[in-house]
Amino acid sequence: MTSETVLPAPAGSRGRVIFAGLIGNVMEWYDFAVYGYFASVIGHLFFPSDDPSVSLIAAFGAFAAGFLVRPLGGLLFGRIGDLVGRKRALMLSVIAMAVPTVLIGLLPTYQTIGVAAPIAIVLLRIVQGLSVGGEYTTSVVFLVEHAPPGRRAFSAVWGLWGAAAGILLGSLVGDIAANSLSAADLAAWGWRIPFLLGAIVAVTGLLVRRALHAEAPPAESASPVRDTFGKHRMAVIRVALLNIGMGVSFYAAFVYAVTYIKTIDNLPATIAFNNNTEAMAVLLLMLPVSAWLADRIGRRPMLIAGSAIVAVGAIPLFNLMHTSDPSTIFLGELGFAAGFAIMSGSVVVNVELIPKAVRCTGLAFAYNAAIGLFGGTTPLIAAWLIRSTGDPIAPAYWIAAAAAVTLLTALFLIRETRDVPLDQ
């Protein structure tokens, strides 16, 4: 394997580096998951309507608003990462997520303050979206730049593992709330508890990252934003296309699925949360294995295999999810988890395809443009497709099309990067 320069691990052990990279993602995605899981309750309290489906679509609209601003957040925090340093960007992003999370848990509802309630929740979601725009991609860059030779994929995957762990944690907390409280208590005040508990994760992330002594990299581009859209734009476009299938399949299977099981399959919230928690646990086990394989057989084979599974399997897997049997539904969720895990073991390719001069900025914009415009809007699009077509399987066509984009990109638009030195 070709040798390459690896940055020294900051502040001690390799384990501390990995923990610092993943902890912020736990916080970021915990909150996004909690919002998605309690979307029906939030829709009723903050976007009241005589038609429950309209309230749900409005709540997912606020959810999507946070994703639509993610590319802007990516440019903001990515620029900080490229010019000032990775650590500064990681510290600021977790703060920008923690404050709105707690405020959502304290926010008065429409019944108390009227139209100010939905306006406030949308604004808080936008601030969170800006934060997420910089957190995940900067953490992955940080992990890859400090990875030992031959283990870049295995190092990078821990950023995604932290995101999945955050969603699992959100699902677990939602599961406990749904099993411990009556439906009336859950709607009245119980939904607030998961948001308030997010402050614990945020404080942990701040303490761990403050202990790091990672030096700021030298600024290789005087204007990383300009160069992202200028001489490096084709690399940015390829990375964006590569992430469309990943984003859509993830948010369909692990965020929208909970609402789907409750509102379309008409099953209790406890079943929806139990299934989702178990599927997320399996995903956490699969991600490191998939990354280990990506370091040995290459990035492209894993991307092609995973995206093909989702593209071909979306419709039959969604048919499994549209039943009244929890075990059959779980098989459908497990299929999506497998396809996503196989794709995502090669998440390192996002860093490897972006030149070093704009690595934080270019990756942040490319990734967040794909996830924000396609992944984060998936719950909204799925709810709209079912309402407008009357077909409960309609979201599967959206998932299959998105996975096909990733498949075609992996086949024809990217090179194998496993043995290419990172600085090239």
Side-chain angles (χ1 to χ4, degrees):
M1 181 172 291
T2 307
S3 63
E4 61 184 85
T5 301
V6 179
L7 297 179
S13 70
R14 176 79 191 131
R16 181 176 294 183
V17 173
I18 290 176
F19 188 65
L22 68 84
I23 186 62
N25 290 301
V26 174
M27 170 65 213
E28 305 274 6
W29 298 96
Y30 167 84
D31 178 77
F32 269 70
V34 166
Y35 186 97
Y37 298 150
F38 289 101
S40 57
V41 175
I42 292 172
H44 174 72
L45 295 175
F46 289 87
F47 305 93
S49 171
D50 293 335
D51 186 342
S53 63
V54 172
S55 294
L56 180 60
I57 289 173
F60 277 136
F63 183 82
F67 280 82
L68 294 176
V69 300
R70 279 180 58 167
L72 297 178
L75 293 178
L76 172 64
F77 287 98
R79 186 176 185 275
I80 294 171
D82 282 325
L83 294 179
V84 181
R86 304 346 182 188
K87 177 181 175 180
R88 182 69 60 84
L90 290 172
M91 290 288 291
L92 292 174
S93 66
V94 77
I95 292 172
M97 188 67 170
V99 174
T101 299
V102 175
L103 290 179
I104 288 177
L106 300 172
L107 195 63
T109 64
Y110 186 93
Q111 185 177 6
T112 304
I113 60 173
V115 72
I119 292 174
I121 205 166
V122 169
L123 291 176
L124 291 172
R125 293 299 304 166
I126 288 174
V127 174
Q128 290 175 324
L130 292 172
S131 167
V132 175
E135 169 62 36
Y136 172 70
T137 53
T138 305
S139 68
V140 173
V141 168
F142 176 82
L143 289 166
V144 173
E145 288 180 340
H146 293 86
R151 299 188 66 188
R152 293 199 306 243
F154 190 76
S155 296
V157 82
W158 293 105
L160 182 59
W161 194 93
I167 292 183
L168 174 60
L169 182 61
S171 179
L172 180 62
V173 171
D175 195 359
I176 293 172
N179 282 283
S180 303
L181 301 173
S182 66
D185 287 341
L186 195 65
W189 54 269
W191 66 273
R192 297 180 183 275
I193 295 175
F195 288 97
L196 298 176
L197 290 177
I200 299 174
V201 183
V203 171
T204 303
L206 284 172
L207 293 175
V208 170
R209 288 178 173 179
R210 282 186 63 186
L212 290 175
H213 299 291
E215 295 183 358
E220 297 195 3
S221 171
S223 180
V225 175
R226 180 192 63 198
D227 290 345
T228 290
F229 296 106
K231 59 184 177 181
H232 300 305
R233 64 182 180 276
M234 290 310 300
V236 171
I237 290 172
R238 283 192 288 269
V239 170
L241 291 173
L242 202 59
N243 282 280
I244 289 175
M246 294 186 191
V248 170
S249 59
F250 184 85
Y251 283 95
F254 299 112
V255 177
Y256 175 69
V258 172
T259 299
Y260 183 87
I261 294 169
K262 291 190 295 183
T263 61
I264 305 300
D265 293 340
N266 293 314
L267 293 177
T270 52
I271 292 177
F273 282 121
N274 286 341
N275 270 17
N276 198 75
T277 300
E278 292 169 6
M280 289 298 302
V282 173
L283 176 64
L284 288 177
L285 295 175
M286 296 179 68
L287 283 173
V289 176
S290 179
W292 181 83
L293 286 172
D295 274 330
R296 278 146 185 80
I297 67 174
R299 295 25 168 159
R300 291 181 72 245
M302 303 298 289
L303 287 166
I304 291 168
S307 56
I309 288 172
V310 177
V312 175
I315 295 173
L317 290 174
F318 231 87
N319 273 305
L320 289 176
M321 291 174 60
H322 183 49
T323 65
S324 58
D325 177 31
S327 298
T328 304
I329 294 171
F330 180 70
L331 288 177
E333 293 179 283
L334 204 58
F336 280 117
F340 176 79
I342 293 170
M343 277 190 282
S344 299
S346 295
V347 70
V348 65
V349 78
N350 291 322
V351 180
E352 294 169 336
L353 290 175
I354 299 290
K356 183 179 180 181
V358 295
R359 187 167 289 153
C360 284
T361 307
L363 175 56
F365 181 80
Y367 177 83
N368 288 299
I371 302 300
L373 296 177
F374 296 93
T377 58
T378 288
L380 174 64
I381 291 172
W384 176 82
L385 283 172
I386 292 175
R387 177 177 169 80
S388 60
T389 66
D391 181 4
I393 307 301
Y397 303 110
W398 168 249
I399 300 168
V405 173
T406 295
L407 176 60
L408 293 173
T409 303
L411 283 170
F412 302 112
L413 295 182
I414 69 168
R415 67 187 189 278
E416 179 56 60
T417 57
R418 183 187 63 167
D419 296 328
V420 178
L422 189 60
D423 290 348
Q424 293 183 14

